[in-house]
Amino acid sequence: MVDPNRRFQTIAGFGASITDSSAAVLYRLSPSARTAAMESLFRDDKLSYLRQPIGASDFVDEPAYTYDDVPAGQTDYGLRHFSVDHDRAQILPLLRQARRLNPELRVMGTPWSPPAWMKTNQSLIGGRLIDSPAIYRAYAAYLVKFVQAYRKEGVPIDALTLQNEPQNRTPAGYPGMDLPSWQAAEVIERLGPMLRAAGERTKILGYDHNWSTHPNDAANTPPDSVADIDHYPQELLSTRAARWVDGTAYHCYYGEPSAMTALHKEFPRKDVYFTECSGSQSSDPANTFSDTLKWHARNLIIGNTRNWAKTVINWNLALDETNGPHTGGCGTCTGVLTVASDGTVTRNAEFYTLGHVARFVRPGAVRVASTSFGTTGWNGRIMDVAFVNPDGSTVLVAHNENDNPQAFAVQYGGRTFEYTLPGGALATFVWRGHSGDRPLDPAGWTATANPPGDAALAVDDDASTRWTTGTGQAAGQYLQVDLGRVQSVRRVVFDTGADLGDYPRGFTVSASVDGSRWDRVAASRKGQFVSASLSRARFVRIALTVPAPDNWWSIADVRAYR
């Protein structure tokens, strides 16, 4: 069921990163081939959000750098040596070309390390910011100068994070830094006012690391930062600096997307962004495309957006056939495109998973409620997410995690269509027009079951909630929904799922105003949907009349309409 009246986060965009390595491999192409590659990404696939390293990351084709490197032992608190000259050769031209191809494109910036002279170990690899107000001011000013320099180059910066993966204290040969939440707060307290004074509207995002703290990171946590373990975003958003923080950024390399919903419940006024995940070469390279498509569809495209993410951003936009060039870090990461040494350009699974949303879900779209039987923990069921675009069109993205084809139905108000999705496939549906229904607000609804089951109704987020009896359906089993008060109800629809072994073979639907006297109402089943016509009621009950000892019976969604 797609319900356009239950709305969640506004989408900012989908994309990847033009890393130093991505720019290098794209510039190995002839100008015409490079233009064709960029057109496929930003005109055809309509990628709409890029995350740009501020200086070097692990994906560079040269020694690591920042925008204010000075000889060892020297400092530059006045940032007199600040320059983005390095980016003028390849990165900035590509960014400007991308913006011409897709004027809706937004860009955010993320540093892998401040200049070495700001750090305790005087190196771009590891260490911390020196605990000094002068250093905090200098680092904040460094980030502001980046925003100003890029704007002058024709690339406005929509958002900033302070540090890529701030709990990764021992990066493998590439720039990185330990930035505990209390130091991040010190920088933000200076960065926020500086951006405002400079007239920049750039947002500040916190964290920029995994859904949950990786055990290796947790094991290396210093005593002054143990509160950050699995709690970094909360620690930062509980400081005074939070007034300057627009949201929290996440990566995919440990944990589950549900961590973003948990944070949203704690801080509902702060946005959630998903800012990095790389595809990875499978142990059998022949399976890389399929493995990546399934994992990214389930966790990134659908899992992230169903858990409040405004963006879905992959890692490298392009890499070569050896998954590089790179310095330390990941040797099996794949790009959205692969650019081979002979000039061949291959679209990888990431191109298609991103395209399933970026081509159809416009920036400014709003995610809306939809039933999802699949979960990020693979369960072989259809998983989906829905959006309403600024022009009023509705977009539904559905993924079949199973190897076999699966049929399913989609209900949008009074309209229904059915579709069979091939095994492992991802599909996007777009339609225009309004549902014509006026759904009741589910806030305050409760559910009970006989026999007792998991009958809690999720009304404040988009978690899929289902009541399952288990095998052995017996006549008289029921699910009862309390609408909270007596009200006018035209229709109630129960979604029992697309699995042929999962629906009630025989059933009755009854309604009551007081929970004592029950009246049967007219009801019918069409595929996975049981629809009942009502007038006024507070309680609605669906009960089995035909036992089916070898089958399950579950209900994943209940909607009521005026």
Side-chain angles (χ1 to χ4, degrees), residues 106-130:
R106 301 185 197 180
V107 178
M108 68 174 290
T110 297
W112 265 242
S113 175
W117 58 267
M118 298 185 186
K119 299 174 67 177
T120 55
N121 64 348
Q122 299 293 291
S123 170
L124 298 185
I125 302 172
R128 267 191 183 182
L129 277 176
I130 296 169

mmCIF file of all heavy atoms in Angstrom, residues 106-130:
data_model
loop_
_atom_site.group_PDB
_atom_site.id
_atom_site.type_symbol
_atom_site.label_atom_id
_atom_site.label_comp_id
_atom_site.label_asym_id
_atom_site.label_seq_id
_atom_site.Cartn_x
_atom_site.Cartn_y
_atom_site.Cartn_z
ATOM 1 N N ARG A 106 23.704 19.255 -6.078
ATOM 2 C CA ARG A 106 24.278 19.870 -4.881
ATOM 3 C C ARG A 106 25.591 19.177 -4.545
ATOM 4 O O ARG A 106 25.802 18.013 -4.888
ATOM 5 C CB ARG A 106 23.326 19.755 -3.686
ATOM 6 C CG ARG A 106 21.977 20.411 -3.902
ATOM 7 C CD ARG A 106 21.161 20.357 -2.617
ATOM 8 N NE ARG A 106 19.754 20.595 -2.847
ATOM 9 C CZ ARG A 106 18.827 20.593 -1.887
ATOM 10 N NH1 ARG A 106 19.188 20.376 -0.627
ATOM 11 N NH2 ARG A 106 17.557 20.816 -2.171
ATOM 12 N N VAL A 107 26.449 19.914 -3.829
ATOM 13 C CA VAL A 107 27.771 19.404 -3.468
ATOM 14 C C VAL A 107 28.012 19.651 -1.987
ATOM 15 O O VAL A 107 27.716 20.732 -1.478
ATOM 16 C CB VAL A 107 28.878 20.088 -4.295
ATOM 17 C CG1 VAL A 107 30.257 19.581 -3.877
ATOM 18 C CG2 VAL A 107 28.648 19.870 -5.791
ATOM 19 N N MET A 108 28.538 18.633 -1.294
ATOM 20 C CA MET A 108 28.972 18.801 0.084
ATOM 21 C C MET A 108 30.470 18.529 0.166
ATOM 22 O O MET A 108 31.049 17.913 -0.726
ATOM 23 C CB MET A 108 28.221 17.865 1.035
ATOM 24 C CG MET A 108 28.519 16.396 0.867
ATOM 25 S SD MET A 108 27.733 15.363 2.142
ATOM 26 C CE MET A 108 28.697 15.819 3.578
ATOM 27 N N GLY A 109 31.105 19.001 1.242
ATOM 28 C CA GLY A 109 32.537 18.815 1.413
ATOM 29 C C GLY A 109 32.862 18.086 2.698
ATOM 30 O O GLY A 109 32.214 18.316 3.725
ATOM 31 N N THR A 110 33.892 17.219 2.642
ATOM 32 C CA THR A 110 34.328 16.447 3.807
ATOM 33 C C THR A 110 35.844 16.343 3.803
ATOM 34 O O THR A 110 36.427 15.858 2.832
ATOM 35 C CB THR A 110 33.736 15.035 3.789
ATOM 36 O OG1 THR A 110 32.319 15.107 3.881
ATOM 37 C CG2 THR A 110 34.274 14.203 4.949
ATOM 38 N N PRO A 111 36.518 16.747 4.888
ATOM 39 C CA PRO A 111 37.966 16.571 4.977
ATOM 40 C C PRO A 111 38.335 15.206 5.541
ATOM 41 O O PRO A 111 37.669 14.690 6.436
ATOM 42 C CB PRO A 111 38.397 17.688 5.934
ATOM 43 C CG PRO A 111 37.200 17.889 6.812
ATOM 44 C CD PRO A 111 35.982 17.550 6.000
ATOM 45 N N TRP A 112 39.406 14.627 5.010
ATOM 46 C CA TRP A 112 39.978 13.410 5.592
ATOM 47 C C TRP A 112 41.017 13.769 6.658
ATOM 48 O O TRP A 112 41.292 12.980 7.540
ATOM 49 C CB TRP A 112 40.592 12.549 4.503
ATOM 50 C CG TRP A 112 39.681 11.488 3.976
ATOM 51 C CD1 TRP A 112 39.872 10.136 4.038
ATOM 52 C CD2 TRP A 112 38.424 11.661 3.305
ATOM 53 N NE1 TRP A 112 38.813 9.468 3.465
ATOM 54 C CE2 TRP A 112 37.914 10.384 3.006
ATOM 55 C CE3 TRP A 112 37.670 12.784 2.938
ATOM 56 C CZ2 TRP A 112 36.695 10.191 2.353
ATOM 57 C CZ3 TRP A 112 36.465 12.593 2.283
ATOM 58 C CH2 TRP A 112 35.984 11.315 2.001
ATOM 59 N N SER A 113 41.570 14.965 6.561
ATOM 60 C CA SER A 113 42.505 15.448 7.575
ATOM 61 C C SER A 113 42.651 16.956 7.456
ATOM 62 O O SER A 113 42.656 17.496 6.343
ATOM 63 C CB SER A 113 43.884 14.798 7.407
ATOM 64 O OG SER A 113 44.816 15.357 8.327
ATOM 65 N N PRO A 114 42.790 17.653 8.579
ATOM 66 C CA PRO A 114 43.223 19.050 8.520
ATOM 67 C C PRO A 114 44.689 19.101 8.095
ATOM 68 O O PRO A 114 45.381 18.069 8.051
ATOM 69 C CB PRO A 114 43.068 19.534 9.971
ATOM 70 C CG PRO A 114 42.358 18.448 10.707
ATOM 71 C CD PRO A 114 42.599 17.189 9.957
ATOM 72 N N PRO A 115 45.221 20.276 7.805
ATOM 73 C CA PRO A 115 46.654 20.394 7.571
ATOM 74 C C PRO A 115 47.447 19.828 8.750
ATOM 75 O O PRO A 115 47.022 19.935 9.910
ATOM 76 C CB PRO A 115 46.863 21.899 7.416
ATOM 77 C CG PRO A 115 45.549 22.403 6.908
ATOM 78 C CD PRO A 115 44.513 21.563 7.594
ATOM 79 N N ALA A 116 48.596 19.235 8.465
ATOM 80 C CA ALA A 116 49.372 18.547 9.502
ATOM 81 C C ALA A 116 49.772 19.473 10.638
ATOM 82 O O ALA A 116 49.884 19.029 11.792
ATOM 83 C CB ALA A 116 50.605 17.909 8.870
ATOM 84 N N TRP A 117 49.980 20.751 10.347
ATOM 85 C CA TRP A 117 50.435 21.670 11.402
ATOM 86 C C TRP A 117 49.365 21.924 12.458
ATOM 87 O O TRP A 117 49.672 22.438 13.536
ATOM 88 C CB TRP A 117 50.941 22.985 10.799
ATOM 89 C CG TRP A 117 49.939 23.742 9.955
ATOM 90 C CD1 TRP A 117 49.766 23.653 8.619
ATOM 91 C CD2 TRP A 117 49.000 24.717 10.414
ATOM 92 N NE1 TRP A 117 48.773 24.501 8.184
ATOM 93 C CE2 TRP A 117 48.289 25.167 9.268
ATOM 94 C CE3 TRP A 117 48.686 25.251 11.656
ATOM 95 C CZ2 TRP A 117 47.292 26.125 9.352
ATOM 96 C CZ3 TRP A 117 47.679 26.219 11.740
ATOM 97 C CH2 TRP A 117 46.991 26.645 10.595
ATOM 98 N N MET A 118 48.128 21.524 12.199
ATOM 99 C CA MET A 118 47.063 21.663 13.191
ATOM 100 C C MET A 118 46.962 20.448 14.110
ATOM 101 O O MET A 118 46.165 20.459 15.057
ATOM 102 C CB MET A 118 45.717 21.856 12.491
ATOM 103 C CG MET A 118 45.583 23.097 11.637
ATOM 104 S SD MET A 118 43.877 23.240 10.995
ATOM 105 C CE MET A 118 44.046 24.640 9.895
ATOM 106 N N LYS A 119 47.769 19.406 13.876
ATOM 107 C CA LYS A 119 47.540 18.122 14.529
ATOM 108 C C LYS A 119 48.640 17.754 15.532
ATOM 109 O O LYS A 119 49.779 18.218 15.431
ATOM 110 C CB LYS A 119 47.412 17.030 13.467
ATOM 111 C CG LYS A 119 46.246 17.265 12.504
ATOM 112 C CD LYS A 119 46.207 16.271 11.378
ATOM 113 C CE LYS A 119 45.890 14.881 11.839
ATOM 114 N NZ LYS A 119 45.784 13.934 10.708
ATOM 115 N N THR A 120 48.255 16.895 16.445
ATOM 116 C CA THR A 120 49.167 16.495 17.515
ATOM 117 C C THR A 120 50.382 15.752 17.005
ATOM 118 O O THR A 120 51.469 15.842 17.604
ATOM 119 C CB THR A 120 48.430 15.610 18.531
ATOM 120 O OG1 THR A 120 47.840 14.499 17.843
ATOM 121 C CG2 THR A 120 47.345 16.390 19.266
ATOM 122 N N ASN A 121 50.240 14.994 15.919
ATOM 123 C CA ASN A 121 51.368 14.200 15.414
ATOM 124 C C ASN A 121 52.041 14.823 14.204
ATOM 125 O O ASN A 121 52.930 14.215 13.612
ATOM 126 C CB ASN A 121 50.913 12.780 15.085
ATOM 127 C CG ASN A 121 49.898 12.739 13.952
ATOM 128 O OD1 ASN A 121 49.361 13.771 13.539
ATOM 129 N ND2 ASN A 121 49.626 11.546 13.433
ATOM 130 N N GLN A 122 51.599 16.032 13.810
ATOM 131 C CA GLN A 122 52.196 16.756 12.682
ATOM 132 C C GLN A 122 52.195 15.924 11.401
ATOM 133 O O GLN A 122 53.087 16.026 10.567
ATOM 134 C CB GLN A 122 53.620 17.196 13.020
ATOM 135 C CG GLN A 122 53.715 18.131 14.214
ATOM 136 C CD GLN A 122 53.088 19.492 13.950
ATOM 137 O OE1 GLN A 122 53.612 20.277 13.162
ATOM 138 N NE2 GLN A 122 51.961 19.779 14.614
ATOM 139 N N SER A 123 51.170 15.083 11.236
ATOM 140 C CA SER A 123 51.045 14.218 10.061
ATOM 141 C C SER A 123 49.603 14.216 9.597
ATOM 142 O O SER A 123 48.676 14.403 10.399
ATOM 143 C CB SER A 123 51.487 12.796 10.408
ATOM 144 O OG SER A 123 51.156 11.888 9.357
ATOM 145 N N LEU A 124 49.409 13.955 8.301
ATOM 146 C CA LEU A 124 48.040 13.830 7.798
ATOM 147 C C LEU A 124 47.426 12.504 8.195
ATOM 148 O O LEU A 124 46.197 12.351 8.150
ATOM 149 C CB LEU A 124 48.023 13.965 6.274
ATOM 150 C CG LEU A 124 48.492 15.300 5.682
ATOM 151 C CD1 LEU A 124 48.287 15.316 4.172
ATOM 152 C CD2 LEU A 124 47.792 16.482 6.333
ATOM 153 N N ILE A 125 48.244 11.534 8.572
ATOM 154 C CA ILE A 125 47.755 10.199 8.913
ATOM 155 C C ILE A 125 47.656 10.066 10.423
ATOM 156 O O ILE A 125 48.652 10.131 11.135
ATOM 157 C CB ILE A 125 48.671 9.113 8.343
ATOM 158 C CG1 ILE A 125 48.784 9.247 6.820
ATOM 159 C CG2 ILE A 125 48.166 7.720 8.716
ATOM 160 C CD1 ILE A 125 49.814 8.339 6.189
ATOM 161 N N GLY A 126 46.430 9.878 10.932
ATOM 162 C CA GLY A 126 46.228 9.693 12.362
ATOM 163 C C GLY A 126 46.323 10.994 13.135
ATOM 164 O O GLY A 126 46.227 12.095 12.596
ATOM 165 N N GLY A 127 46.512 10.862 14.471
ATOM 166 C CA GLY A 127 46.622 12.034 15.322
ATOM 167 C C GLY A 127 45.278 12.678 15.604
ATOM 168 O O GLY A 127 44.211 12.145 15.248
ATOM 169 N N ARG A 128 45.344 13.820 16.274
ATOM 170 C CA ARG A 128 44.168 14.610 16.643
ATOM 171 C C ARG A 128 44.437 16.076 16.381
ATOM 172 O O ARG A 128 45.585 16.490 16.208
ATOM 173 C CB ARG A 128 43.891 14.460 18.146
ATOM 174 C CG ARG A 128 42.932 13.406 18.555
ATOM 175 C CD ARG A 128 42.586 13.573 20.026
ATOM 176 N NE ARG A 128 41.693 12.516 20.478
ATOM 177 C CZ ARG A 128 41.207 12.442 21.708
ATOM 178 N NH1 ARG A 128 41.531 13.353 22.608
ATOM 179 N NH2 ARG A 128 40.395 11.454 22.037
ATOM 180 N N LEU A 129 43.395 16.854 16.417
ATOM 181 C CA LEU A 129 43.569 18.300 16.469
ATOM 182 C C LEU A 129 44.251 18.667 17.789
ATOM 183 O O LEU A 129 43.931 18.101 18.847
ATOM 184 C CB LEU A 129 42.229 19.022 16.416
ATOM 185 C CG LEU A 129 41.571 19.269 15.063
ATOM 186 C CD1 LEU A 129 40.205 19.901 15.263
ATOM 187 C CD2 LEU A 129 42.438 20.149 14.176
ATOM 188 N N ILE A 130 45.183 19.600 17.722
ATOM 189 C CA ILE A 130 45.769 20.133 18.946
ATOM 190 C C ILE A 130 44.653 20.804 19.748
ATOM 191 O O ILE A 130 43.843 21.551 19.203
ATOM 192 C CB ILE A 130 46.884 21.133 18.614
ATOM 193 C CG1 ILE A 130 48.021 20.415 17.883
ATOM 194 C CG2 ILE A 130 47.392 21.826 19.874
ATOM 195 C CD1 ILE A 130 49.056 21.357 17.285
#
